[in-house]
Amino acid sequence: QKEVEQNSGPLSVPEGAIASLNCTYSDRVSQSFFWYRQYSGKSPELIMSIYSNGDKEDGRFTAQLNKASQYVSLLIRDSQPSDSATYLCAVLQGGSEKLVFGKGTKLTVNP
Amino acid sequence: NAGVTQTPKFRILKIGQSMTLQCAQDMNHNYMYWYRQDPGMGLKLIYYSVGAGITDKGEVPNGYNVSRSTTEDFPLRLELAAPSQTSVYFCASRFRGITEAFFGQGTRLTVV
């Protein structure tokens, strides 16, 4: 089993819709979870971090964490064409400081 | 504050050549990471370091070496370059604790 898995893409949504991105992880002692956005040809940039079970909201973005299910998700409300990018889930593995990324999900928001 | 600086930005190597990718950060971060990203893929961890003198392997360390003699610098060495090492390489750093990583601008390497 891969350490961090993301739902296979690409994902295409119309402008104004909700985009849902999912991620599962294998290391049960992981404590920190991150969502990065990466535009084509650019470096990843942090969108959200989440450390506790439940939801964390920041503007149009909501991260959800369920440690019992080893699942973390990102919801993007009112999707905009500028949200079109690849979204990377990252997990900081407990004890080792190893930061592991998933394959990424490419999101396209159609005007 | 420059953040994380990678050099060079682009490089073409011939098969069998060696080179060092440089990474420097000026944020006094404890932890540093090297990733490679193949087209359409996520980031694969090559090596990481939790402090000067301490390094550890990631998911894909074969063909690479690292050293960390100072807090600021974390160079990645490629020995005997192979076409399979054609990729974009990212360096990242973060402070201790449950903190996010900051990335450099990447080095695009082509081995021909």
Side-chain angles (χ1 to χ4, degrees):
Chain A
Q1 181 187 3
K2 291 190 185 297
E3 295 178 86
V4 179
E5 296 203 55
Q6 294 186 237
N7 54 326
S8 58
L11 179 65
S12 182
V13 300
E15 185 174 354
I18 296 175
S20 177
L21 305 161
N22 303 313
C23 174
T24 58
Y25 59 95
S26 60
D27 179 31
R28 285 196 166 274
V29 298
S30 296
Q31 294 293 319
S32 309
F33 308 88
F34 308 91
W35 283 100
Y36 283 81
R37 177 176 61 199
Q38 186 179 29
Y39 292 113
S40 181
K42 301 295 186 182
S43 304
E45 55 180 350
L46 182 75
I47 300 176
M48 296 279 289
S49 58
I50 187 166
Y51 313 119
S52 304
N53 278 330
D55 295 359
K56 179 182 179 182
E57 188 174 316
D58 184 0
R60 295 185 296 111
F61 299 94
T62 299
Q64 299 173 316
L65 175 61
N66 183 327
K67 290 185 179 179
S69 300
Q70 295 174 243
Y71 174 90
V72 58
S73 67
L74 179 70
L75 297 177
I76 306 175
R77 290 182 301 280
D78 188 24
S79 296
Q80 300 297 308
S82 59
D83 294 328
S84 297
T86 295
Y87 290 79
L88 299 161
C89 173
V91 177
L92 184 61
Q93 295 189 333
S96 73
E97 303 299 338
K98 190 189 292 188
L99 183 62
V100 181
F101 283 77
K103 286 178 57 175
T105 300
K106 185 173 183 179
L107 171 67
T108 300
V109 180
N110 301 302
Chain B
N1 229 3
V4 181
T5 303
Q6 289 184 240
T7 55
K9 288 186 171 51
F10 303 94
R11 183 72 184 268
I12 298 175
L13 274 184
K14 293 184 178 179
I15 294 171
Q17 287 185 322
S18 300
M19 77 164 293
T20 299
L21 282 67
Q22 301 292 344
C23 176
Q25 53 90 11
D26 61 0
M27 298 175 281
N28 202 30
H29 283 172
N30 309 89
Y31 309 126
M32 297 187 74
Y33 304 83
W34 273 108
Y35 296 92
R36 60 175 287 172
Q37 186 173 38
D38 300 327
M41 300 295 286
L43 301 173
K44 293 182 181 177
L45 181 64
I46 305 172
Y47 272 98
Y48 68 106
S49 169
V50 299
I54 306 170
T55 62
D56 206 349
K57 295 178 180 178
E59 303 163 279
V60 290
N62 291 343
Y64 306 94
N65 279 301
V66 293
S67 61
R68 185 136 179 238
S69 56
T70 67
T71 300
E72 294 78 19
D73 300 298
F74 190 39
L76 177 72
R77 178 85 177 160
L78 279 72
E79 305 282 0
L80 299 175
S84 61
Q85 293 178 304
T86 293
S87 192
V88 179
Y89 291 83
F90 287 103
C91 179
S93 71
R94 49 179 280 270
F95 204 54
R96 68 161 51 93
I98 47 174
T99 59
E100 72 269 25
F102 294 86
F103 283 82
Q105 292 305 300
T107 295
R108 186 175 296 274
L109 175 68
T110 303
V111 182
V112 297

